[in-house]
Amino acid sequence: MIGENVKRILQELPPGVRLVGAAKTRTPEEILEAVDAGLEIIGENYVQEAEAAFAVVGHRVKWHLIGHLQRNKVKKAVPIFDMIETVDSMKLAREIDKICLKVDRSMPVLIEINSGEEEQKAGVFPARAASLIREIATLERVKVQGLMTMGPFTGDPEDARPYFQITRKLFQEIASLKIPGVEMRYLSMGMSNSYKVALEEGANLVRIGTRIFGERQYG
Ligand SMILES: *Cc1c(COP(=O)(O)O)cnc(C)c1O
């Protein structure tokens, strides 16, 4: 079933849109089933869970970190992930830069936008995004490649549309600033219930869990 889900979603997605399989709580075997069906990017929320899956699946696929990253986990995250989608502070970016320098690589990142401006949530508020990106662009090994947003959670996908619109507009504004070293290439928005709306609003990375792997038991 997992394999069929992946194939169906891949067929549905418009050209130029990439699928991230959101794999939190899934076993390495479930992830392998998705990979065998053609899934090319795995999204993990937790470094520890990613380590277990990475040990089995390895570099056959790309790994994106889609959950909040604590600074004390950066050292473990850098060897696994091909992209960190959730950078929202200079402190975190500086730590990623430091570890990348040590192991001589660079790290593509997306800036997480708190498009609902919810104090308790991760992500930078839209009004502060451009200045944060200018600051991060001064780091040698952290490469800003776009924006990611969750939006406030509600059951109705239409409720997410305004937050996707805010993020898309910001994406275009930041692209027009032509900040040296910054590429506005990826716009990561939309989950199982909202990715169709996100696609209409310009997403080119969609993070889908439930529609691939089924309902989660926990997490
Ligand atoms: C779990 C998760 C998803 C996918 O959620 P589903 O509703 O299962 O598709 C997408 N993005 C992030 C950041 C997540 O934590």
Side-chain angles (χ1 to χ4, degrees):
M1 197 187 65
I2 291 174
E4 285 163 28
N5 292 342
V6 167
K7 284 183 186 147
R8 194 188 58 246
I9 295 167
L10 285 174
Q11 269 174 3
E12 267 175 30
L13 292 178
V17 175
R18 308 195 67 193
L19 173 63
V20 177
K24 60 178 174 276
T25 79
R26 313 302 179 173
T27 63
E29 291 67 33
E30 290 173 298
I31 296 171
L32 272 179
E33 201 177 327
V35 171
D36 287 338
L39 182 66
E40 293 177 338
I41 307 172
I42 309 296
E44 289 281 4
N45 289 64
Y46 307 104
V47 175
Q48 209 171 338
E49 230 179 81
E51 283 179 317
F54 182 77
V56 176
V57 183
H59 284 298
R60 295 168 60 186
V61 288
K62 300 287 186 196
W63 296 82
H64 285 200
L65 184 65
I66 62 173
H68 180 67
L69 178 59
Q70 290 169 304
R71 265 179 292 152
N72 62 7
K73 298 279 169 61
V74 171
K75 207 171 163 178
K76 287 190 165 175
V78 164
I80 297 174
F81 290 101
D82 299 286
M83 179 180 280
I84 297 173
E85 295 200 15
T86 50
V87 172
D88 63 356
S89 74
M90 187 59 186
K91 275 185 173 173
L92 176 59
R94 223 182 259 123
E95 184 66 18
I96 296 168
D97 189 60
K98 192 179 96 186
I99 302 294
C100 283
L101 269 169
K102 274 193 191 151
V103 299
D104 194 21
R105 65 165 290 188
S106 58
M107 181 62 77
V109 305
L110 305 184
I111 304 304
E112 182 174 359
I113 305 300
N114 186 344
S115 51
E117 307 198 15
E118 299 169 284
E119 289 293 349
Q120 74 284 10
K121 274 209 183 163
V124 60
F125 280 21
R128 288 206 47 251
S131 63
L132 176 62
I133 290 171
R134 282 191 196 281
E135 215 182 337
I136 293 176
T138 65
L139 298 171
E140 190 183 320
R141 302 300 178 107
V142 178
K143 305 295 176 197
V144 177
Q145 294 194 344
L147 306 181
M148 176 271 210
T149 200
M150 297 276 287
F153 182 80
T154 73
D156 183 352
E158 275 304 320
D159 292 345
R161 191 183 294 277
Y163 304 99
F164 295 158
Q165 287 172 337
I166 286 168
T167 309
R168 195 250 318 252
K169 191 163 156 268
L170 192 59
F171 182 85
Q172 289 163 336
E173 282 168 11
I174 291 169
S176 74
L177 297 175
K178 302 201 185 309
I179 301 167
V182 170
E183 272 181 287
M184 280 291 123
R185 200 166 141 197
Y186 296 109
L187 183 53
S188 175
M189 316 194 289
M191 322 203 304
S192 289
N193 76 333
S194 60
Y195 76 98
K196 289 184 179 161
V197 172
L199 290 173
E200 287 167 9
E201 299 303 336
N204 59 15
L205 268 183
V206 291
R207 309 178 308 269
I208 298 181
T210 309
R211 276 206 184 215
I212 293 175
F213 298 104
E215 292 295 334
R216 278 182 294 277
Q217 301 307 303
Y218 61 94

